[in-house]
Amino acid sequence: MAACEGKFLDHPKQTFEIRTKSIEQTLVPLVSQITTLVNHKERPVTTAKTCRAIVRVGQATSLAVQRFVTVGEAIADENPEIRQSMYDACRDANVAGSGIAKLTDIRWDEPSSRAVGPADKVALIKAARSLLGAITHVLVLADKVVIKQLLQVQDKVASSLDRLEQVTNFTEFVNVFSQFGQEMVELAHLTGDRQNDLKDEKRRAQMGVARSVLEKGTMMLLTSCKTCLRHPECASARRNKDGVFRQLRQAMELVRFVVRDSPRANGGDADTMPSFLEGNPACLHAALRHFEDLIEITQMAGVSGKTQEQLTSGLEAALESTQDFTDSAYTSHERRERILLLSETLRSQLAAMLQTGLARENEMPGAEFAAMALRLQQTSQEFRKELQDTALEQANDIFSSSSDVEMVARMKSAGLAGDLDKIDELTVQICEHSEQLQEACKLLRHIAAAEPLVVAAEHAENNLQTLGPQVISAAQTLCTHPSSKIAKENLDIFCDSWEMQVNDLSMLVKETTDICRGRTMAEKQTYMSLPRPGEQAKIVKLGLEMKLITSEMDAETEKWEEAENDVVKRAKNMSSMAFSMYLFTRGEGPLKTTQDLFTQAAYFAEEANKLHKSVREFLYQVPSGGHKNELQSYLDTVPPLIQQLLFTIKSPTIGKAATFNKVDSVIQETKNLMNAIAKLVTTCLICATKYSIDYRSSPHMAHRWRHQSPMASNGDDASTSSEASGVVRSASAQKALHSLSGYSDVLQ
């Protein structure tokens, strides 16, 4: 086991760094068996039973290797780029496995009462090391195939993103965006699996950040592109759209960097650091920790020319980062003076300690030197505490003295009123507030004691820097076109994204405070704290699939100008309900308990039943033929699905596991019903267009089924809000909360 726990495994040809949990866990049973075999050489075999057991372990190891090699060779056959390397690794593994079987082929000699046969411990250890190296090589090559598959999907997403950037009409945009959405869901699954598998917590955090940007950016992409299509002459709308595309491409660049972050020893070149992550200064917490470690080493070993240079450069590296604290306009005068004073104290104490140590360079450190080193450590810790207090004080001041909700609400009102002067005034306020938030992120990054928090602070700073101008551009667009519903929806989306980012920052402040105060990192308390990791991934996958269906149906219904059309209205209501259930799978949104989920699902079924009745009445007006038969077949699938969903909702449960299974089933049945409704609505609208049917949902209200002309099909005339009966009354703006795929939770 020790070999597996180390960072590197030796192989005759090269060394491999184990970067994923799956490779490490695959090696554990093999290491256990080999350890058993090697250990038997440490003591003599005293019984025939022990002798037979050793033989069985050796044979079992050899057979397991043969089965493993068969799988490896199958992978090689399907992937020409690794074929020869995989064949070589499989051959090495087979040879080593056969060698172990031969070296453990001992027998019990009854006359002499001892084991007879190969007893070369050195040869056995050599064969074991060779086997571990070969198996690791096979696993690393197989992992390259997984990486290739992920990058291929990412390339497809990038291609669809390029196509989206070039579309010139709304119909083409809907088609391309639908394909883009499906590819994004696939990318979400693959990147989620990869994030779970990575051993390095910094890389896991970076993957999580990238997935979060892709998730939230997808909805901003939808509205910004629609706004640009509706108002192609508007410069602020184009800036909005370009900013989102840039953000998504940076996130995919980060995904590629994390996925390909493997040393050249693993058979590939690591990608360079993404440009938007370059230039970040060293984390002050890590620099101080390194400096304090050097002090401890010096206490034991004394001062030499080398340690003097290391200590001096280590302190200067730490103090260099304090400029972010002292240069900040939001650091109080008292804090700034205290930081500068402690900086000078550290320099003087280090100089005194080094002078004392060099005076007795060839002697063991004495009591005086030890006392000076102790004082230096204490001053360093006091310095760290002062920096932590400064950063947290600055962050807490922001959240206690400002209201982002109020600020964005005023921005929305000014946009709707077409008040450009007010927009300009609020622009100055948002820019100043954004700058203050970014300063807080910068300082939080310096004091963060855990890599995930460092990554989160960097992400928050970059995101705030991007979102501020985007909110302003969206507001300017609405101000220019105050009657545009799509421009209003676009501003709502960006304002909600801003509020979510500020809320994420407040959570980061809390978690950083917990660690600085000696408490463990606060865990996110959500519904998704499921019994087993596999269950969590399963239910999130269902949620993502359901969300994709709602996105497609929303895009379809937005092509129709009759927002009060009964079928369209109910379809939008069901889409909003399904979206709230999707948010529940992420531990977010208005549904807080499993009972809320079940109640929402019951309202969903009720709304589906009403839609079914409306379409059944409409069916009588469709002329006989293929379209009517198709509509009838889709209509017939709905009632059984409604009944199945209601039956699942009403089924009793006792205990956490049973409740989870019910939640799983309810979401699965809701997804199935939503899929059927999406097909039904699409076919219904096609029939209405083809046969120019005038449809009345009640004796009191007439509805004309008419498709918009291509010039008008920009989504602007569709209703941007719909009331959903039941637990959630949702509007399309609610969908700013999350987009197509659950990037933040698939991986946990």
Side-chain angles (χ1 to χ4, degrees), residues 195 198-210 283 285 441 444-445 447-460 504 507-509 511-512 515 521-522:
Q195 183 182 359
L198 290 170
K199 289 175 60 182
D200 186 273
E201 63 177 12
K202 180 177 181 179
R203 294 293 179 248
R204 282 203 309 273
Q206 288 176 329
M207 182 68 86
V209 160
C283 176
H285 174 85
C441 293
L444 287 172
R445 176 185 174 275
I447 67 169
E451 284 286 7
L453 296 183
V454 174
V455 172
E458 290 175 347
H459 164 63
D504 289 344
M507 295 301 297
L508 174 62
V509 172
E511 291 180 349
T512 305
I515 288 188
M521 186 183 297

Side-chain angles (χ1 to χ4, degrees), residues 275-438:
S275 57
F276 60 93
L277 289 181
E278 292 178 348
N280 283 329
C283 176
L284 199 151
H285 174 85
L288 276 178
R289 180 66 65 191
H290 175 65
F291 175 65
E292 290 168 1
D293 289 342
L294 289 173
I295 296 173
E296 290 184 4
I297 295 172
T298 307
Q299 275 184 291
M300 295 181 291
V303 178
S304 65
K306 182 178 180 181
T307 56
Q308 179 185 17
E309 181 182 350
Q310 289 176 335
L311 282 165
T312 303
S313 60
L315 177 60
E316 290 305 319
L319 295 182
E320 183 179 355
S321 298
T322 61
Q323 291 180 7
D324 287 334
F325 291 79
T326 56
D327 292 350
S328 173
Y330 307 100
T331 300
S332 68
H333 176 72
E334 292 76 10
R335 293 286 185 191
R336 183 178 293 107
E337 290 298 316
R338 179 70 175 157
I339 291 171
L340 292 173
L341 176 61
L342 287 169
S343 299
E344 290 305 315
T345 303
L346 281 170
R347 285 193 177 99
S348 62
Q349 288 183 351
L350 176 61
M353 187 190 78
L354 291 175
Q355 183 178 4
T356 301
L358 288 172
R360 301 177 179 179
E361 186 172 355
N362 297 324
E363 302 176 14
M364 291 297 293
E368 180 185 2
F369 181 82
M372 297 178 75
L374 181 60
R375 283 197 299 272
L376 182 59
Q377 282 184 314
Q378 291 172 343
T379 304
S380 177
Q381 292 165 4
E382 184 181 355
F383 183 57
R384 178 190 288 107
K385 178 68 166 52
E386 184 66 29
L387 295 172
Q388 291 174 350
D389 290 345
T390 301
L392 295 175
E393 180 183 273
Q394 191 175 124
N396 289 321
D397 285 347
I398 295 173
F399 291 107
S400 64
S401 62
S402 65
S403 173
D404 288 270
V405 175
E406 182 181 342
M407 189 181 300
V408 297
R410 293 201 304 269
M411 183 70 85
K412 291 179 185 178
S413 299
L416 283 171
D419 190 344
L420 188 57
D421 291 336
K422 189 65 174 178
I423 291 290
D424 292 340
E425 177 187 334
L426 290 168
T427 294
V428 175
Q429 294 179 22
I430 285 184
C431 288
E432 291 177 351
H433 185 52
S434 176
E435 180 183 344
Q436 189 175 6
L437 290 169
Q438 291 172 50

Side-chain angles (χ1 to χ4, degrees), residues 19-55:
R19 305 186 64 85
T20 61
K21 299 174 187 175
S22 56
I23 293 180
E24 188 174 65
Q25 291 165 359
T26 302
L27 291 173
V28 167
L30 178 61
V31 171
S32 178
Q33 285 190 330
I34 289 176
T35 301
T36 300
L37 294 176
V38 172
N39 285 345
H40 96 269
K41 295 297 183 182
E42 300 289 343
R43 52 187 182 277
V45 179
T46 57
T47 66
K49 182 179 180 180
T50 302
C51 183
R52 290 193 297 272
I54 292 170
V55 173

Side-chain angles (χ1 to χ4, degrees), residues 520-737:
T520 58
M521 186 183 297
E523 295 182 356
K524 184 181 180 184
Q525 298 297 321
T526 68
Y527 158 75
M528 293 311 298
S529 299
L530 299 175
R532 295 178 294 275
E535 293 174 346
Q536 180 177 335
K538 177 183 177 184
I539 201 166
V540 171
K541 181 176 182 292
L542 287 175
L544 293 178
E545 292 169 349
M546 184 165 67
K547 176 63 185 73
L548 175 59
I549 296 169
T550 66
S551 296
E552 291 177 348
M553 191 160 77
D554 286 345
E556 183 67 29
T557 54
E558 283 184 0
K559 292 190 292 185
W560 302 86
E561 64 178 356
E562 298 295 341
E564 293 304 316
N565 176 296
D566 196 53
V567 172
V568 172
K569 184 173 71 173
R570 296 198 184 282
K572 285 177 173 286
N573 289 349
M574 294 180 68
S575 177
S576 293
M577 294 181 191
F579 185 77
S580 69
M581 296 172 73
Y582 155 72
L583 290 181
F584 180 79
T585 67
R586 296 174 33 83
E588 300 173 3
L591 306 181
K592 304 302 182 185
T593 67
T594 53
Q595 187 56 50
D596 288 346
L597 177 74
F598 301 149
T599 302
Q600 183 73 90
Y603 282 119
F604 183 86
E606 178 184 339
E607 193 75 0
N609 190 46
K610 293 177 181 177
L611 186 144
H612 175 265
K613 291 178 181 178
S614 297
V615 176
R616 188 173 58 192
E617 294 176 5
F618 170 73
L619 182 66
Y620 296 135
Q621 302 184 50
V622 180
S624 299
H627 285 97
K628 183 167 186 173
N629 293 338
E630 183 181 12
L631 183 59
Q632 180 70 62
S633 65
Y634 286 138
L635 194 64
D636 291 341
T637 64
V638 172
L641 292 172
I642 294 175
Q643 292 302 317
Q644 182 60 42
L645 176 57
L646 291 172
F647 175 79
T648 304
I649 294 169
K650 294 175 182 178
S651 62
T653 57
I654 299 176
K656 184 175 180 180
T659 301
F660 165 74
N661 290 332
K662 180 175 177 178
V663 169
D664 183 23
S665 299
V666 166
I667 293 175
Q668 177 68 59
E669 297 299 337
T670 303
K671 187 200 81 170
N672 294 340
L673 179 55
M674 190 69 188
N675 193 36
I677 292 296
K679 295 177 181 177
L680 182 66
V681 170
T682 300
T683 308
C684 202
L685 299 179
I686 290 173
C687 290
T689 302
K690 182 176 179 64
Y691 300 111
S692 301
I693 297 174
D694 286 338
Y695 174 65
R696 296 175 183 270
S697 63
S698 71
H700 307 291
M701 184 177 293
H703 299 277
R704 180 174 299 277
W705 293 74
R706 184 171 68 252
H707 193 285
Q708 295 176 348
S709 66
M711 291 299 292
S713 60
N714 48 51
D716 194 45
D717 296 326
S719 171
T720 57
S721 67
S722 60
E723 284 195 353
S725 62
V727 175
V728 176
R729 291 182 178 178
S730 150
S732 61
Q734 178 193 26
K735 301 196 176 181
L737 297 174

Side-chain angles (χ1 to χ4, degrees), residues 168-230:
T168 56
N169 64 77
F170 191 76
T171 302
E172 181 186 1
F173 172 75
V174 169
N175 294 332
V176 178
F177 188 83
S178 177
Q179 180 183 348
F180 172 75
Q182 295 178 41
E183 293 166 351
M184 285 286 280
V185 169
E186 185 179 3
L187 183 63
H189 295 331
L190 294 176
T191 52
D193 291 341
R194 191 67 184 176
Q195 183 182 359
N196 272 333
D197 201 24
L198 290 170
K199 289 175 60 182
D200 186 273
E201 63 177 12
K202 180 177 181 179
R203 294 293 179 248
R204 282 203 309 273
Q206 288 176 329
M207 182 68 86
V209 160
R211 297 174 74 241
S212 175
V213 172
L214 290 173
E215 173 197 355
K216 296 172 183 176
T218 301
M219 185 53 65
M220 291 189 287
L221 178 70
L222 175 62
T223 59
S224 62
C225 285
K226 286 165 59 180
T227 304
C228 220
L229 289 171
R230 177 66 180 88

Side-chain angles (χ1 to χ4, degrees), residues 111-129:
S112 61
S113 295
R114 65 184 181 85
V116 178
D120 189 346
K121 179 181 177 180
V122 174
L124 183 61
I125 292 175
K126 184 177 179 180
R129 290 171 64 88

